[in-house]
Amino acid sequence: MTCRLPGSTSDGSRQAFAMGTGLLAMGVLHFVRPAGFDSIIPDEIPLPKRILTLASGVAELAVGTGLMVPKTRRAASLAAIALFIAVFPANINTVRVVKDKQLAIKMIAVARLPFQIPLITTAWRTFKRSA
């Protein structure tokens, strides 16, 4: 017996499209409102924050597009996993950046950390289902 999530498809296309849409939206935000992304990049990374923000925006646009195209979905699924792992330090740093903010903002920063796990596992399942 297998457990299927609501709205899931045997080939992972619906999940890939949903993840791709989210990545495209976030990629666009990197260019529309880059300052917010600049602020969460750890100071310990010795590269200009704006360049990293724009590069991660390009990566999100590329991976998001790749997830939506059946011929590139398999490779894009692996790229999505790499992207989610690569941006995790910024997500952790967000907790540090908001330490002096309101409790609700701190709670959101902490609560979003575990969401990397379903993103990565969904990308992995999409990889396995893509032919």
Side-chain angles (χ1 to χ4, degrees):
M1 180 174 161
T2 60
C3 177
R4 294 199 43 193
L5 297 173
S8 66
T9 57
S10 61
D11 67 353
S13 59
R14 190 172 297 150
Q15 297 86 335
F17 187 82
M19 189 180 307
T21 300
L23 284 169
L24 288 171
M26 291 306 293
V28 168
L29 279 176
H30 279 71
F31 292 92
V32 174
R33 299 208 180 258
F37 295 98
D38 292 349
S39 71
I40 64 171
I41 295 172
D43 292 332
E44 294 80 8
I45 298 176
L47 296 169
K49 292 182 179 207
R50 183 56 51 94
I51 289 174
L52 291 171
T53 293
L54 297 177
S56 62
V58 168
E60 288 180 346
L61 291 170
V63 172
T65 301
L67 285 168
M68 294 185 169
V69 179
K71 288 186 179 188
T72 59
R73 185 168 295 143
R74 191 166 169 84
S77 297
L78 292 178
I81 293 168
L83 179 64
F84 296 141
I85 292 169
V87 300
F88 194 65
N91 293 340
I92 292 171
N93 193 54
T94 302
V95 175
R96 183 169 69 175
V97 169
V98 301
K99 70 179 179 344
D100 296 327
K101 303 286 185 185
Q102 299 169 345
L103 179 61
I105 293 172
K106 290 190 273 191
M107 289 174 61
I108 291 168
V110 171
R112 67 183 277 216
L113 293 176
F115 285 105
Q116 296 298 113
I117 295 167
L119 288 171
I120 291 168
T121 57
T122 299
W124 179 249
R125 281 193 308 270
T126 301
F127 169 77
K128 291 191 326 185
R129 292 176 179 168
S130 300

